[in-house]
Amino acid sequence: MENSILIKTVDLTKVYPMGGQSITALDSVSLTFRKGEFAGLVGPSGSGKTTLLNILGSLDAPTKGSAEVLGEKVETLSHKKAAALRNRHIGFIFQTFNLLPVYTAYENVEFPLLLLGLPPAARKKAVMDALDWVHLADRAKSRPNQLSGGQCQRVAIARAVVKKPSLILADEPTANLDAENSHHILHTMEDINRELRSTFIFATHDEKVIGHLRRKIVLVDGKVAKDEVIKAA
Ligand SMILES: Nc1ncnc2c1ncn2[C@@H]1O[C@H](COP(=O)(O)OP(=O)(O)OP(=O)(O)O)[C@@H](O)[C@H]1O
Ligand SMILES: [Mg+2]
């Protein structure tokens, strides 16, 4: 794969069986993402945004077509190799957070670093920095059921960026945030994007997020309806 190309999908198709029928969530999606992009998938509810992020994050496999992510073909990866790819290189912000309920905010954010085997002192600093980015350093000891929806979302964001991964997949990361927190988090993500050249791919309906994107891909019925580069204002 060409050096600066991080992701390449060819005719990516996902069909879910539904009783006797089937739902085509993605229909021959061919897209390329380069290192350092700040891109977003937009489109109506049910258009395939989450499905595409899940496949790019090697959490799901396509029915047809291929997705090459950081040099690995997702459709042929074993569970073990897919987990290693995610643990090392991908930060995922889920639409439903997926925080571990019995863990504190601190422990949730620390989790990806334990998988990487980072030494304790470096781990502590990285976790507190990440909690600081999302303005939650003072809630490090709280568990998800003691936090609001927006606070849980911010913990999930901290967890996704804590290891400074090369690829961050963010599914509706601002859905539960107020304007101030949304803007702060978007600026933090832009800083990470600029400083580390981490690639961000969002799925979003939020105009605040859309306003920060440098590339906007519109999905309609699982197909790419539009793919445009947005010039800086
Ligand atoms: N596990 C599943 N089984 C069956 N159908 C599914 C499954 N996951 C998603 N779908 C269907 O695939 C289509 C695309 O869903 P997806 O979650 O990717 O949409 P989305 O663009 O993320 O929507 P939203 O904006 O509401 O989050 C929808 O019709 C959805 O019902
Ligand atoms: Mg979705």
Side-chain angles (χ1 to χ4, degrees):
M1 210 153 50
E2 191 194 321
N3 212 1
S4 67
I5 293 180
L6 204 73
I7 294 174
K8 186 180 165 92
T9 76
V10 180
D11 289 332
L12 200 65
T13 298
K14 180 73 182 181
V15 179
Y16 289 110
M18 271 290 284
Q21 298 181 318
S22 58
I23 293 180
T24 302
L26 291 177
D27 190 356
S28 292
V29 170
S30 298
L31 286 169
T32 300
F33 294 91
R34 290 173 181 279
K35 187 172 163 62
E37 286 208 51
F38 206 75
L41 309 171
V42 305
S45 178
S47 58
K49 303 181 297 294
T50 296
T51 305
L52 179 54
L53 286 189
N54 284 344
I55 295 174
L56 298 182
S58 73
L59 294 164
D60 202 357
T63 312
K64 233 174 58 193
S66 73
E68 196 169 342
V69 178
L70 294 146
E72 304 279 2
K73 287 226 187 263
V74 167
E75 64 277 12
T76 60
L77 279 184
S78 65
H79 282 293
K80 201 172 158 192
K81 284 203 161 152
L85 173 70
R86 285 195 300 273
N87 293 345
R88 276 194 212 116
H89 301 295
I90 304 177
F92 212 111
I93 302 165
F94 294 91
Q95 197 163 8
T96 48
F97 319 145
N98 289 14
L99 297 177
L100 297 164
V102 297
Y103 284 10
T104 64
Y106 184 97
E107 289 161 343
N108 268 283
V109 175
E110 185 184 35
F111 193 71
L113 302 179
L114 291 173
L115 296 176
L116 286 178
L118 215 68
R123 220 160 57 213
K124 185 164 182 206
K125 180 170 186 325
V127 173
M128 288 317 292
D129 282 352
L131 284 172
D132 217 24
W133 288 334
V134 297
H135 290 162
L136 280 178
D138 58 337
R139 300 302 300 271
K141 293 197 173 113
S142 301
R143 279 191 287 278
N145 66 355
Q146 300 166 319
L147 296 168
S148 71
Q151 289 168 335
C152 287
Q153 186 144 42
R154 281 142 67 195
V155 174
I157 292 167
R159 180 183 57 183
V161 299
V162 69
K163 64 188 178 198
K164 304 190 171 164
S166 38
L167 175 62
I168 294 166
L169 302 169
D171 200 353
E172 303 284 3
T174 56
N176 298 278
L177 302 185
D178 57 57
E180 190 194 327
N181 271 301
S182 297
H183 281 298
H184 172 74
I185 272 156
L186 282 160
H187 284 135
T188 302
M189 288 175 168
E190 283 176 330
D191 287 346
I192 296 172
N193 170 255
R194 205 167 26 239
E195 283 162 29
L196 305 172
R197 293 200 72 215
S198 298
T199 302
F200 283 76
I201 305 176
F202 296 87
T204 190
H205 294 282
D206 183 350
E207 287 300 329
K208 292 188 290 298
V209 177
I210 294 169
H212 286 259
L213 298 177
R214 294 202 301 273
R215 177 182 177 192
K216 188 166 99 177
I217 296 156
V218 183
L219 290 183
V220 177
D221 292 339
K223 292 193 189 70
V224 177
K226 204 164 159 189
D227 183 356
E228 58 180 347
V229 174
I230 299 161
K231 296 223 164 58

